[in-house]
Amino acid sequence: MKLPWKNLRPRVSLAAAVLGVAVLLGAVARADRPYAPSRDYHLQNVRVSLHFDLEQRKVMGEVTHTLSTLRDGVTHLDFDCAEITVSSARVNGKDAAFDLRDDKLRVRLAQPAKSGEKFEVELKYEGKPTSGLYFILPDKDDPDRAKEIWTQGEAEDTHHYIPIYDYPNDRTTSEMILTVPGDWLTVSNGRLLSVQDAPNGQKTWTWRQSLPISTYLISFVAGEYKEKKDTWHNIPVTYNVPRGMDDTIDPTFRHTKEMLDFFSDRFGVPYPWDQYAQTAVHDFVASGMENVSATTLAARDIVHAELASERPEAADGLISHEMTHQWFGDLVTCKDWTNTWLNEGFATFGATLWEEHYYGVDASGYRYWREQNTWMQSRELYPIPIVTRDINDSVEYVGNVYDKAGWVIHMLREQLGDEPFFRALKHYLEANRLQNVVSADLAKAVEESSGTNVDQFFDQWIYGAGAPRFVVRSAYDDAGMKVSLSVKQTQKVEGHVGLFRVPIEVSITTSSGEKLFPIEVSKADETFSFPVDGPPLMVLFDKGDKILKSVDFQKSPEDWIRQLRTAPDVPDRADAAFALGNLRENEAAANALGDAALHDKFWGVREEALRALGRMNSSPARKQVLAALSNDQPWVRAVAVEQMGKYHGDEEIAKRLQNIYKDDKAYSVRSAALQSLALDKAPNAEPILEKALTISSPDDVLRHAALRAMGSLGDSSVVSALLEWSSPGKPSALRGIAIGSLGRVDLKNHDITSRLISYLNESSFDIRYASIFALGHRGDPTAIEPLEALLKTGQLSIGVPHAMEDLIEKLKGKAAPQKGPSGEDQKNGDAATASNNNQPVLDRLDHLEHQLTDMNDRLRRIEASVSGGKSD
Ligand SMILES: [Zn+2]
């Protein structure tokens, strides 16, 4: 599964960010079942037949489970079952007693079964699910939208539309029989067996998945889609998008077949399924979901044809992530959610592997560098191991099983070497093919295939938490002709965090060239000594950034400038750019950064140089930022424009920003200019933003940017525009952004709070979540009651209630009378004060928005790497 904040378009709003949060939470494992349940039976086949009442948003179904018992004395068969009414149950053709309690359907057997006994259980049912299966239909906001029905099984939602065993630790073959309007298309797992006429002009589509899969990976999509057909090695490859979005197909899916070749070759196991279908759907609950042989994607994350030239990365990150899952996650599946990293870590790793292959090692190295820095700064993620049964906070869980786990797999590759590493992956896939795994299965596969024992590696990186925080100092001994390196591990050794034992490559360059010294660091405080033939010009600790870590390495400005100019690897140059950004008034540093911002051979270093200049926020830095506006690549230019948002009250900057907004060819740069005008509180920002709302652009990018910028402007003059664009009848994507911005303006205005509260009752997933988090941001305690009411309905996807409880708790903390700074009781109801005291929640929202910004940067990096790879 791919979480949405990884893939949102550049210039997304807080609304989208918090929406991302909600869905991100929705995507992760349910905390109450960290252990796989014990089983009474093994599912062998699931035959599902569904038809639909669109007006009622109702599903009518029949399912036949073929199963065999796993022990003697089984008296009943339990199926997970929620939001479903079962009208009949038959066992081996005879009526059976059944009852439904606590989301479990219990079907009684006529007599206790013996181990290995086979049963056919037929159930007839109907339901109006609020999760698991979703009806996307035209409404007042989007009257022309295509009709769609799609499913989302992960984590445990399949049982909202099929009474079924709903945990990953069993595998079954499946048949999906869908009766839908005659002009609809359907996509499901495996092979399409037939399409037959059905009554009332409908058609019945029969799909069969002939290799066994975990039930959360069962899926279908049905609706008014446009299909493009292709083949790869004699299997059907299809691309499907909602009607009217045909021109997104080529820019989005263009690398699919090349990726199928690449991954089949790299993983050493050919793509294992009967087809590969990719279908973009509206309002999807994630960015993508790796349903077996039939990936579902979010329509908002695919590539608009008119923006393709501005986003040459297409949707490669998303496409390659989901495709990697077809091996890691689908062919081999985690046994329980505690081992989700075996799915998500590999999918994250696979996407970067493709990036390295197609866009080059500079692009993938830069991605790892950025992910490392984001992860190392996360105080929440740091003390939690990748594998933990104590999943109290789903947010922490997610950051580790995706990004950190991807990094850990990357380190495993570095430490084993390519040949043994990929041999181990092949062995792991073959040995566990069509089975469910735990982390130890991977360690075992590595040892069996390469002889390398990785127990210590797993202990510190998978079952242990944290990563080393190094403080490094170097000294040159002129007389002894040696460089000594003092290396300290400064992370607090407590809980799951220990001292690390890691291989490090030290690089020392003198006038005669570079020498490499491999060392192993394992103690809290060590000193290493290296013979040299003269004074060192450059000393790199962990050259090329091969270990997940942070390093505090004191160097002179001259040394950093030399490193920025000459270090061969992107992470080392990016480190230097960052360090130089701390030298606020140093003109030589600003000049070096300005030079890198225009001339570094990799665009990512150009961006880092610009960010460093932005942090300097000094007069020499300002000059260099403006000079970098001549950058050819729009994504680098956009970063320069973002830095201009830091010069409040600077008339010349405001003027330049207006011109950029008017004249730049790239929508992303124009959008950045709107945001910077707002951040600068430029005197005429408000009318410019209002005007931008009247301009049509592809995917409405300019309206997105203007609505988001209005939230940053924070001025009450924008309230009426935001209220208007948040209203029913406006396109839902724009409504979500306007709602997010309403979370940040005129915090004392209770009318805004009331309006947001009224949106909590809407049927749209996106609007509800945007409103929930906007209310959290406003901190107005009058939102408590309606939020609690919404929570009670239970109509929220997994994980969201947890976040909402947290949010309500904070708002309540505010509602209680509190001692103010001067000792008197403060009255509740003052939204601005409430908001200030609501800081932990706000911090978390801001943190997530920050993460989202990073993801957008990443998007631009991928975009850039296409042309970067060609022109450098
Ligand atoms: Zn995934």
Side-chain angles (χ1 to χ4, degrees):
M1 189 168 203
K2 179 110 177 184
L3 303 176
W5 42 265
K6 300 236 167 196
N7 262 6
L8 288 165
R9 282 184 289 269
R11 314 267 64 81
V12 289
S13 71
L14 177 70
V18 295
L19 208 153
V21 176
V23 177
L24 169 154
L25 291 164
V28 297
R30 205 158 78 179
D32 55 347
R33 287 215 278 181
Y35 293 96
S38 300
R39 294 181 293 145
D40 288 337
Y41 59 82
H42 158 54
L43 270 187
Q44 294 174 339
N45 187 56
V46 178
R47 183 172 197 264
V48 192
S49 177
L50 301 175
H51 58 284
F52 309 93
D53 181 334
L54 291 185
E55 234 160 72
Q56 299 281 316
R57 294 174 183 254
K58 195 157 102 180
V59 56
M60 285 80 74
E62 289 179 41
V63 58
T64 305
H65 292 295
T66 308
L67 55 85
S68 60
T69 47
L70 292 171
R71 59 179 179 83
D72 289 340
V74 174
T75 57
H76 55 264
L77 303 168
D78 282 346
F79 300 92
D80 297 297
C81 181
E83 302 188 284
I84 288 172
T85 309
V86 176
S87 56
S88 78
R90 292 168 73 79
V91 176
N92 293 344
K94 292 189 181 135
D95 285 341
F98 63 94
D99 60 273
L100 182 64
R101 200 181 309 159
D102 297 335
D103 291 355
K104 287 271 185 226
L105 175 74
R106 177 159 292 185
V107 178
R108 309 267 165 198
L109 297 179
Q111 58 203 48
K114 291 206 170 65
S115 177
E117 218 175 309
K118 202 164 167 178
F119 293 92
E120 239 181 40
V121 182
E122 295 168 67
L123 306 167
K124 285 192 179 155
Y125 63 94
E126 61 179 47
K128 293 170 82 168
T130 56
S131 50
L133 183 150
Y134 300 81
F135 291 87
I136 308 300
L137 302 170
D139 60 12
K140 57 189 180 326
D141 295 355
D142 297 290
D144 300 324
R145 79 187 330 182
K147 292 180 184 136
E148 305 172 37
I149 305 174
W150 46 259
T151 64
Q152 167 59 29
E154 193 177 12
E156 300 168 33
D157 280 354
T158 301
H159 70 279
H160 288 252
Y161 71 98
I162 311 170
I164 198 166
Y165 182 81
D166 203 358
Y167 203 83
N169 65 330
D170 194 10
R171 306 179 79 98
T172 178
T173 58
S174 64
E175 292 160 81
M176 183 67 75
I177 302 157
L178 301 161
T179 300
V180 297
D183 59 347
W184 281 24
L185 185 83
T186 79
V187 180
S188 187
N189 319 102
R191 189 187 298 277
L192 177 62
L193 296 185
S194 66
V195 184
Q196 289 172 329
D197 288 334
N200 305 321
Q202 300 202 98
K203 285 201 162 75
T204 298
W205 298 62
T206 302
W207 293 85
R208 171 155 183 80
Q209 169 60 38
S210 55
L211 295 172
I213 62 175
S214 292
T215 53
Y216 77 90
L217 294 164
I218 291 175
S219 71
F220 75 84
V221 171
E224 297 172 322
Y225 294 96
K226 168 80 180 178
E227 179 186 44
K228 180 170 176 177
K229 290 182 179 179
D230 205 340
T231 57
W232 177 84
H233 291 257
N234 298 320
I235 64 162
V237 168
T238 61
Y239 316 108
N240 311 290
V241 297
R243 187 198 60 201
M245 295 181 71
D246 313 15
D247 64 355
T248 59
I249 290 178
D250 289 340
T252 302
F253 299 111
R254 59 187 184 171
H255 294 142
T256 296
K257 285 165 51 174
E258 207 176 334
M259 280 184 204
L260 285 166
D261 280 327
F262 172 70
F263 288 126
S264 295
D265 178 56
R266 212 66 180 106
F267 298 151
V269 172
Y271 176 79
W273 312 110
D274 287 339
Q275 65 159 350
Y276 193 49
Q278 296 171 95
T279 309
V281 305
H282 277 123
D283 288 3
F284 195 47
V285 295
S287 277
M289 178 64 208
E290 66 274 18
N291 300 307
V292 166
S293 78
T295 284
T296 311
L297 303 168
R300 62 178 165 270
D301 290 327
I302 64 178
V303 182
H304 193 292
E306 276 186 74
L307 297 173
S309 62
E310 220 174 289
R311 298 182 54 191
E313 102 290 356
D316 273 19
L318 175 58
I319 304 287
S320 56
H321 178 106
E322 303 309 337
M323 195 187 287
T324 303
H325 272 311
Q326 299 296 327
W327 285 263
F328 295 91
D330 292 3
L331 185 65
V332 173
T333 309
C334 60
K335 173 188 165 188
D336 56 41
W337 301 122
T338 298
N339 288 284
T340 312
W341 78 276
L342 293 170
N343 294 6
E344 298 305 342
F346 272 105
T348 306
F349 172 77
T352 315
L353 197 62
W354 166 258
E355 189 177 24
E356 174 195 305
H357 166 74
Y358 194 83
Y359 300 107
V361 73
D362 280 357
S364 57
Y366 182 51
R367 176 192 293 268
Y368 280 120
W369 184 83
R370 290 294 300 264
E371 273 173 8
Q372 165 179 264
N373 294 343
T374 306
W375 189 88
M376 289 300 298
Q377 283 162 27
S378 168
R379 266 175 291 164
E380 290 143 2
L381 297 171
Y382 189 86
I384 310 286
I386 286 176
V387 166
T388 172
R389 305 268 183 199
D390 181 18
I391 311 160
N392 289 319
D393 189 326
S394 302
V395 172
E396 292 170 352
Y397 193 59
V398 164
N400 282 338
V401 300
Y402 284 75
D403 293 341
K404 186 183 183 188
W407 237 107
V408 169
I409 296 165
H410 170 61
M411 287 194 285
L412 185 62
R413 176 188 177 190
E414 288 292 337
Q415 288 173 36
L416 289 175
D418 265 15
E419 201 281 323
F421 172 78
F422 286 106
R423 183 149 37 89
L425 292 196
K426 181 178 193 312
H427 178 55
Y428 168 75
L429 289 169
E430 285 174 343
N432 299 290
R433 181 186 162 80
L434 300 172
Q435 293 180 55
N436 295 72
V437 287
V438 295
S439 305
D441 293 311
L442 178 63
K444 186 170 171 230
V446 173
E447 185 162 351
E448 281 175 353
S449 61
S450 70
T452 307
N453 182 331
V454 288
D455 292 349
Q456 188 265 334
F457 181 93
F458 271 57
D459 272 354
Q460 74 182 13
W461 292 116
I462 302 295
Y463 307 115
R469 297 187 193 277
F470 289 115
V471 171
V472 177
R473 298 288 180 264
S474 72
Y476 173 54
D477 172 0
D478 205 356
M481 299 285 274
K482 61 183 188 186
V483 168
S484 69
L485 211 59
S486 136
V487 179
K488 292 192 170 97
Q489 292 193 45
T490 62
Q491 70 273 15
K492 202 163 183 193
V493 175
E494 63 178 1
H496 297 287
V497 180
L499 283 175
F500 282 78
R501 175 184 294 273
V502 286
I504 295 281
E505 194 168 57
V506 175
S507 151
I508 301 176
T509 303
T510 63
S511 58
S512 67
E514 182 189 31
K515 268 207 173 117
L516 296 174
F517 302 93
I519 58 172
E520 184 179 81
V521 178
S522 62
K523 300 190 176 75
D525 188 349
E526 293 172 84
T527 301
F528 300 87
S529 181
F530 310 101
V532 288
D533 58 9
L537 298 170
M538 184 160 68
V539 180
L540 300 173
F541 178 80
D542 189 25
K543 177 188 155 108
D545 194 18
K546 303 293 165 58
I547 298 293
L548 178 66
K549 66 184 182 310
S550 66
V551 187
D552 164 355
F553 195 162
Q554 240 170 37
K555 297 181 186 181
S556 69
E558 295 70 36
D559 284 350
W560 284 124
I561 289 172
R562 192 178 301 114
Q563 185 170 326
L564 176 63
R565 290 202 168 123
T566 64
D569 296 313
V570 162
D572 295 318
R573 299 208 298 283
D575 274 341
F578 185 87
L580 289 168
N582 295 331
L583 308 174
R584 194 155 180 262
E585 294 297 338
N586 186 316
E587 199 164 348
N591 292 343
L593 287 167
D595 189 45
L598 274 172
H599 303 301
D600 193 281
K601 68 185 165 115
F602 181 63
W603 55 266
V605 178
R606 279 178 246 159
E607 290 192 3
E608 290 311 315
L610 280 163
R611 291 193 183 94
L613 288 165
R615 277 194 294 122
M616 281 178 148
N617 199 8
S618 60
S619 154
R622 178 185 180 281
K623 191 173 134 199
Q624 300 298 336
V625 168
L626 293 179
L629 289 170
S630 64
N631 233 297
D632 281 346
Q633 289 152 313
W635 44 93
V636 179
R637 218 153 62 232
V639 176
V641 170
E642 278 162 23
Q643 309 317 313
M644 291 166 75
K646 293 172 179 166
Y647 293 88
H648 308 268
D650 184 322
E651 277 178 36
E652 193 204 335
I653 294 255
K655 191 131 199 84
R656 294 283 292 267
L657 285 170
Q658 283 179 48
N659 290 336
I660 291 164
Y661 166 62
K662 273 198 306 219
D663 300 335
D664 203 285
K665 288 194 287 287
Y667 286 103
S668 56
V669 180
R670 297 180 64 193
S671 300
L674 288 178
Q675 181 66 16
S676 285
L677 278 167
L679 288 171
D680 282 343
K681 317 276 181 217
N684 52 352
E686 196 263 329
I688 292 172
L689 296 178
E690 295 263 4
K691 181 101 191 296
L693 287 176
T694 65
I695 300 172
S696 296
S697 54
D699 272 358
D700 263 337
V701 284
L702 291 180
R703 288 194 182 108
H704 278 243
L707 290 169
R708 176 173 184 257
M710 284 180 165
S712 302
L713 190 63
D715 191 308
S716 53
S717 63
V718 298
V719 169
S720 65
L722 287 174
L723 284 172
E724 183 197 336
W725 283 89
S726 76
S727 301
K730 294 288 186 189
S732 56
L734 294 173
R735 290 188 66 199
I737 293 177
I739 288 169
S741 285
L742 282 172
R744 326 185 99 188
V745 298
D746 205 0
L747 295 182
K748 291 186 178 178
N749 184 339
H750 292 292
D751 292 344
I752 297 178
T753 304
S754 308
R755 182 74 81 91
L756 292 173
I757 288 170
S758 76
Y759 297 154
L760 291 177
N761 300 319
E762 292 199 26
S763 60
S764 158
F765 188 84
D766 293 12
I767 298 300
R768 267 199 280 168
Y769 290 148
S771 305
I772 290 168
F773 286 95
L775 286 168
H777 228 288
R778 292 187 70 77
D780 184 338
T782 57
I784 293 172
E785 224 173 279
L787 286 172
E788 280 182 330
L790 179 59
L791 194 58
K792 277 201 195 105
T793 64
Q795 295 183 359
L796 295 159
S797 79
I798 288 165
V800 177
H802 179 79
M804 272 182 77
E805 280 161 17
D806 200 32
L807 206 138
I808 290 167
E809 220 34 57
K810 305 292 179 196
L811 290 174
K812 274 186 176 164
K814 250 14 275 136
Q818 301 211 349
K819 296 282 180 197
S822 55
E824 78 274 34
D825 284 339
Q826 289 182 334
K827 287 279 168 247
N828 53 343
D830 180 336
T833 314
S835 161
N836 287 339
N837 290 317
N838 210 18
Q839 208 53 44
V841 170
L842 295 186
D843 282 352
R844 174 175 282 182
L845 290 175
D846 288 342
H847 173 71
L848 285 155
E849 189 182 26
H850 176 74
Q851 271 188 324
L852 184 80
T853 312
D854 275 357
M855 299 311 157
N856 293 332
D857 291 341
R858 185 187 298 171
L859 260 183
R860 281 199 297 276
R861 290 202 304 280
I862 302 167
E863 289 162 17
S865 58
V866 180
S867 63
K870 282 174 187 156
S871 61
D872 289 351

